[in-house]
Amino acid sequence: MSAVVAPAAVPDTRHVVVETLREEASIWLFVVKTLIAFFAAGWLAMRFGLPAPSTAMLTTIIVANRQSGMVLAKSFYRAIGTVGGAAAAVGIVAAFPQERDLFLLALSLWIGICAGGATLYRNFKSYAFVLGGYTAAIVAVPVIDNPPGVFDSAVARLSEVLLGLLVSGVVNDVVFPSRMRDVLRRSAREQFAHFLEFVRGATEGSMPREAMETAHLRFVRDAVALEDLRSSVIFEDAEARSRSNHLRLFNQRFMAASTSFQSLHHLVNRLKRAKRDRAAETLIRLYAPIGDALHVPVEAGIAARVLLPRLADARTAMRNHLPTLRATMDDAQDLRDYDTGASLLMRFVDELHAYVDSAASLQAPRVIGGSAERVRFDRGNDWLGAGLATFRTTLTMLVLGLFWIGSAWPMGSSAMLLATVFAGLFATTPNPTRVTWIVMLGYLCGMAAGFVCEFFVLTQMDGYGLLVAGIAPFLAIGLVMMMSRRLGSFGLGWAMGLAYILSLKNVQTYDPVHFINDAIAQVVGLGAAAVSFVVIPPAIGSAWLRRRQLARLRGQVALAAEAPLPGLRHRFESVNHDLVSQVVAQTQPGSADSRALIAWALAVHETGRALIELRHDMARRDVPSTLLPYLREALRTLARFYEKPDPAGYLLARDAVATAIASVGEHSGQAHLLEHLHLVRMALLDGESVLAAYMPSAPLAKEIVHAS
C-alpha cells in the first residue's frame, strides 16, 4: 500500500504567461467592480437623501471580494449583523436614556459579547457577530446626548448599510460575475480524484507513517475547505442550494472512508513490523479487487457512474474470497489478525462505495431534493477563548468610554467607533496585534491620501462625475494592494481610511481643522484596539489554545465511548477534522506542535471510530449480560486515558481492553465485538504511535501482543 509520487512537472513558459495575465485581469476586474459599487452606492444614497452616504460607500469596500458568492454571503451575514446591532442599540438607549455610565457599560458588554461570539464561528457567520457589535456603537454613540433620536439613527444606518449591500450584490452578480460554484465543483472533483488515486496507489504493500500523516493533512484540508465553500456558494446559486445537503453527505462519507482507510493501513503496517507477514499479505490479497476496480481514468462527469458497478463487483468478490483466504490461516494469532483486518476492510469498501455513490448523485443532471440523508458539519469551538475575547473587547470599550466621559473630548465618539470596528474585526485572526498595526499603518496612509484628495483635488471639481474622477485613482491604489498576499492588510487599511475620512455627504464641507481632529480620534481608536491585543493577548494562535484544542481532540475518544449514538459518526468526524484544521492553520509546518497534533489526530481517529463501531454492534445485537461490565469498563478506561493521558491510565486501558477480549473470546457468536476490541488493542500497542510515550517497556513496541 505505497503512496504514488507524481514526477515534478516542468513549468511551461506560455502557461506561466497566460496565468500571469489572467491573474492581472482578475485583479483589475475586482478593482473596477468595487469602484462601480462604491460610487453607485454613494450616488444612490445622495439621491435618496440619506444622512451619511459614506456609510453605504464604506460598506461596499468591506464586503468586496473577487468571487460573487463571497460578496453575497458576506452581504447576507452583514445584513443580519446590522439588523441585530441596530435592534440592540435601540434597546440599550431605551433602557438607559439618562444614565451615560450605565449606557456605556451595557454597550461595551454587548460589543464584547459579539466579539466573543465571532470567535465561535468560521467564515462570514463570525462577521455577523462583528457587525452586530459595531453597528450598535454606530447607531447608539452619536445619540448619547439625544436619546429620542435613536430610532432615526437606526433607520438611517440600516438604510445606508443595506443600500451598500444591495448595490455590491447586484454589481458583482451582473458585471462579469466570478462564480464560486465553479471553484466548489473543482474542489469536489479534486478531492474525489485525489482520494481514489491514493486508494488505488496503496494496494501494493505497507505505507510509511510519514506518507499517512501527509495524506491525513490533505484529507483534513479537503474536507474543511469543501464545507467552507459550500456554506458560501449557496448564496449565489439555486442549483448549489438544492444540492447543498447532498454535498454535505458527500463530504461526510469522504471523512468516514478516509478514517477507515487510515485504520486499515495502520493495521497492515503494524503486522509487517511485528513480522506477521502471512496475515498482512493475505489482507493485501483481499484488498486487491479494490485497486483493480479503481483502474479507470478518474475524470469529471462520468467517473462515479463508471466506478459504482466496478466497486460493487469488487465488494462481492471480496466477500466470496473471505472464507477461502481465511482457510489458509493455521495460526490462532494470524487468524485473529486476519478477521480484524477483513472486518475493517469490508467496512472501508462499504464506505468507499457510499462515497462514490454520493459523487454519482452530485454528478447527475438533477438531484431530487430531500432524497439524501440529512447530515451536518459540527465545529470544534472553544468557549473559554470566546470568553477571553469578550473580556478584552468589553474592557477596551469601557476604558475608552471612561476616557471620553472624563475628558469631555468632542471626538471621543469617533475613537470609540473605530476601536469597536477593529477590536471585533480582528478578534478572530491568529495574530491580531500584527494585523492591526499593519492595517493602522495603511489607514494612516489612506487618511493622508484622503487629505490630499479632499483639499487639493475635490475643491477644484464640481458635480458627481468629477468627484468620481477625483477619488477613483486614490481608492484604486488601496484596492490593488488588497489583492496582494503581502500587502492585503495594508491595502484594506488604506481603502477604509480613505473612504472613512472623506465622509462624503450631500453637501460636502471642507474643514481642515475638523478633518485633522477626526483623523487623530480615528488613530487613537485604532491604537486602542491594537494595544488591547497586546495587554490581553488573544487565544487564537496561542500555545494555550493549542493545548486546549489538543485536549479537546483527545476528548473526542470520550465522545465516541459515551455520547448518544444517533448522529455520532458524523459529529465525531466533522469535529475532529475542524479541530485539526484549526490547529494546523495556527502552527508552523513540521514543528513539534504540528507533529504532535498529527500523531494524536491519527490515534484519535482510529480508536474513536473503532469504539463507535463497537457500540453500534453492541446496540444492534444481543450481547450477553455477563460481557457488558467488561465492555463498559474498556470504554470507560479508554475515555479517561485519552482525556488525561499518563502511564497509569495507559496500563488501566490496556488491561481493560485485554480483559474484555479474553471475556468475549469465551462466548461464541461475538466475533464482531472481538474484531473491534482487537483493533483498539493493536492501536494501544503500536510502538510508532504517539501512545508509545506511555508504554511501560520497549518490547511492546516491537510486536503485537494478543490476549490469551
Side-chain angles (χ1 to χ4, degrees):
M1 302 176 182
S2 58
V4 177
V5 180
V10 178
D12 180 64
T13 304
R14 181 181 177 184
H15 177 74
V16 171
V17 171
V18 170
E19 288 300 316
T20 302
L21 292 176
R22 182 177 293 137
E23 176 67 14
E24 288 298 315
S26 174
I27 290 173
W28 284 104
L29 180 60
F30 164 79
V31 171
V32 170
K33 290 200 294 185
T34 305
L35 289 175
I36 292 173
F38 181 85
F39 291 114
W43 183 81
L44 288 171
M46 291 178 182
R47 295 289 293 178
F48 294 153
L50 298 179
S54 59
T55 301
M57 302 170 85
L58 184 61
T59 297
T60 64
I61 293 176
I62 294 176
V63 300
N65 196 284
R66 290 194 200 190
Q67 302 291 342
S68 303
M70 291 295 189
V71 174
L72 296 174
K74 200 171 185 180
S75 298
F76 175 80
Y77 288 113
R78 181 176 173 89
I80 292 177
T82 300
V83 173
V90 172
I92 291 171
V93 173
F96 308 106
Q98 305 297 329
E99 297 290 339
R100 178 171 293 192
D101 294 346
L102 292 177
F103 164 82
L104 288 174
L105 176 62
L107 182 62
S108 299
L109 186 59
W110 168 258
I111 295 170
I113 290 172
C114 288
T119 66
L120 298 177
Y121 291 89
R122 249 64 77 210
N123 289 338
F124 301 125
K125 291 182 181 180
S126 68
Y127 188 61
F129 281 90
V130 174
L131 264 294
Y134 73 69
T135 297
I138 291 173
V139 171
V141 169
V143 299
I144 192 170
D145 293 321
N146 179 31
V150 67
F151 182 77
D152 292 338
S153 178
V155 171
R157 297 294 85 77
L158 278 172
S159 301
E160 291 153 4
V161 170
L162 294 179
L163 175 63
L165 298 179
L166 178 63
V167 171
S168 288
V170 171
V171 169
N172 279 276
D173 201 48
V174 173
V175 180
F176 298 106
S178 178
R179 300 298 185 191
M180 281 295 297
R181 68 182 178 214
D182 299 329
V183 179
L184 176 65
R185 287 171 180 169
R186 185 167 61 250
S187 297
R189 288 168 180 167
E190 287 176 355
Q191 181 205 89
F192 182 71
H194 176 265
F195 183 63
L196 293 190
E197 181 181 0
F198 204 82
V199 171
R200 182 177 59 195
T203 59
E204 299 171 358
S206 62
M207 180 181 296
R209 179 169 288 269
E210 294 78 12
M212 195 68 256
E213 290 177 352
T214 302
H216 179 70
L217 280 181
R218 171 73 184 261
F219 299 154
V220 167
R221 292 192 184 102
D222 285 351
V224 176
L226 196 67
E227 171 60 19
D228 290 343
L229 283 170
R230 184 207 61 81
S231 65
S232 297
V233 174
I234 59 175
F235 291 96
E236 75 166 17
D237 190 73
E239 183 181 358
R241 285 193 295 275
S242 69
R243 295 174 182 263
S244 178
N245 194 64
H246 290 77
L247 192 58
R248 271 183 171 167
L249 184 62
F250 169 80
N251 208 22
Q252 289 284 359
R253 288 177 173 175
F254 166 70
M255 290 187 285
S258 64
T259 296
S260 296
F261 174 80
Q262 294 164 35
S263 298
L264 176 63
H265 286 272
H266 288 318
L267 172 63
V268 172
N269 286 352
R270 291 178 192 125
L271 291 173
K272 284 186 168 291
R273 287 199 308 273
K275 308 301 182 184
R276 308 206 60 80
D277 293 325
R278 185 171 186 179
E281 294 300 332
T282 305
L283 287 173
I284 293 172
R285 288 172 58 194
L286 183 61
Y287 185 95
I290 298 178
D292 295 337
L294 296 180
H295 270 290
V296 294
V298 180
E299 298 173 354
I302 62 169
R305 291 196 297 273
V306 169
L307 286 172
L308 275 175
R310 294 173 65 91
L311 280 173
D313 291 343
R315 181 168 56 183
T316 301
M318 290 167 66
R319 285 175 178 161
N320 293 335
H321 292 160
L322 271 172
T324 304
L325 293 175
R326 191 177 191 276
T328 64
M329 300 285 108
D330 53 12
D331 180 84
Q333 290 185 356
D334 284 343
L335 191 59
R336 183 172 294 178
D337 293 334
Y338 173 81
D339 287 342
T340 301
S343 173
L344 182 57
L345 185 51
M346 296 312 299
R347 185 180 90 192
F348 169 65
V349 74
D350 286 340
E351 290 172 347
L352 182 63
H353 186 274
Y355 172 59
V356 174
D357 183 58
S358 296
S361 177
L362 284 173
Q363 292 170 0
R366 295 184 60 186
V367 174
I368 301 174
S371 62
E373 176 189 352
R374 307 296 295 183
V375 296
R376 55 181 292 179
F377 191 100
D378 290 310
R379 300 285 188 171
N381 293 317
D382 188 275
W383 289 90
L384 195 56
L388 186 63
T390 298
F391 175 73
R392 180 184 58 250
T393 308
T394 300
L395 184 62
T396 303
M397 296 303 105
L398 282 175
V399 170
L400 278 176
L402 291 174
F403 174 74
W404 180 21
I405 293 173
S407 65
W409 184 23
M411 305 304 296
S413 61
S414 185
M416 277 202 71
L417 290 179
L418 261 293
T420 300
V421 171
F422 286 97
L425 205 58
F426 299 127
T428 58
T429 58
N431 191 354
T433 305
R434 180 176 179 274
V435 172
T436 305
W437 285 115
I438 293 174
V439 171
M440 183 177 175
L441 183 60
Y443 203 93
L444 287 169
C445 293
M447 288 195 298
F451 184 87
V452 174
C453 179
E454 181 160 345
F455 296 108
F456 293 93
V457 177
L458 297 186
T459 53
Q460 308 300 317
M461 297 181 174
D462 186 29
Y464 197 77
L466 291 178
L467 178 142
V468 171
I471 296 176
F474 294 93
L475 183 57
I477 294 172
L479 296 176
V480 170
M481 287 190 291
M482 283 175 63
M483 291 294 97
S484 167
R485 182 171 299 179
R486 188 166 58 89
L487 299 174
S489 298
F490 185 90
L492 175 63
W494 174 294
M496 291 184 66
L498 177 72
Y500 203 99
I501 201 67
L502 288 177
S503 190
L504 297 175
K505 306 178 184 66
N506 269 313
V507 180
Q508 185 72 359
T509 58
Y510 299 95
D511 184 352
V513 174
H514 182 273
F515 184 102
I516 293 172
N517 285 334
D518 195 18
I520 292 172
Q522 292 180 37
V523 172
V524 169
L526 271 169
V531 169
S532 72
F533 291 121
V534 175
V535 175
I536 306 175
I540 295 177
S542 66
W544 172 78
L545 183 60
R546 284 198 297 272
R547 287 194 297 269
R548 288 181 56 81
Q549 289 171 326
L550 192 56
R552 172 77 186 277
L553 180 64
R554 293 196 305 266
Q556 287 292 99
V557 174
L559 179 84
E562 299 169 345
L565 284 174
L568 182 56
R569 286 193 187 99
H570 298 323
R571 183 183 173 192
F572 175 80
E573 294 287 358
S574 57
V575 172
N576 279 2
H577 282 70
D578 187 59
L579 282 170
V580 174
S581 176
Q582 288 182 60
V583 185
V584 165
Q586 299 157 18
T587 54
Q588 184 70 25
S591 65
D593 285 339
S594 179
R595 290 195 301 270
L597 164 73
I598 297 169
W600 275 112
L602 292 172
V604 166
H605 269 67
E606 182 175 15
T607 300
R609 270 301 301 275
L611 296 185
I612 291 173
E613 299 304 325
L614 171 66
R615 293 180 60 206
H616 273 290
D617 276 346
M618 289 170 61
R620 281 194 297 260
R621 309 186 188 189
D622 292 331
V623 178
S625 59
T626 54
L627 286 182
L628 291 177
Y630 299 106
L631 295 172
R632 289 169 180 163
E633 180 64 11
L635 291 169
R636 188 191 68 80
T637 55
L638 283 165
R640 301 293 81 79
F641 166 65
Y642 271 88
E643 285 181 330
K644 292 184 178 180
D646 57 32
Y650 172 84
L651 289 174
L652 287 174
R654 187 194 67 184
D655 293 344
V657 172
T659 302
I661 289 174
S663 302
V664 172
E666 296 174 357
H667 293 74
S668 60
Q670 303 298 324
H672 53 290
L673 301 180
L674 200 60
E675 291 158 0
H676 302 309
L677 289 168
H678 187 50
L679 182 62
V680 171
R681 180 163 172 76
M682 293 170 75
L684 280 171
L685 300 176
D686 186 351
E688 287 193 1
S689 78
V690 71
L691 304 184
Y694 306 98
M695 295 180 183
S697 58
L700 286 175
K702 303 297 183 182
E703 62 181 355
I704 296 178
V705 178
H706 298 262
S708 57

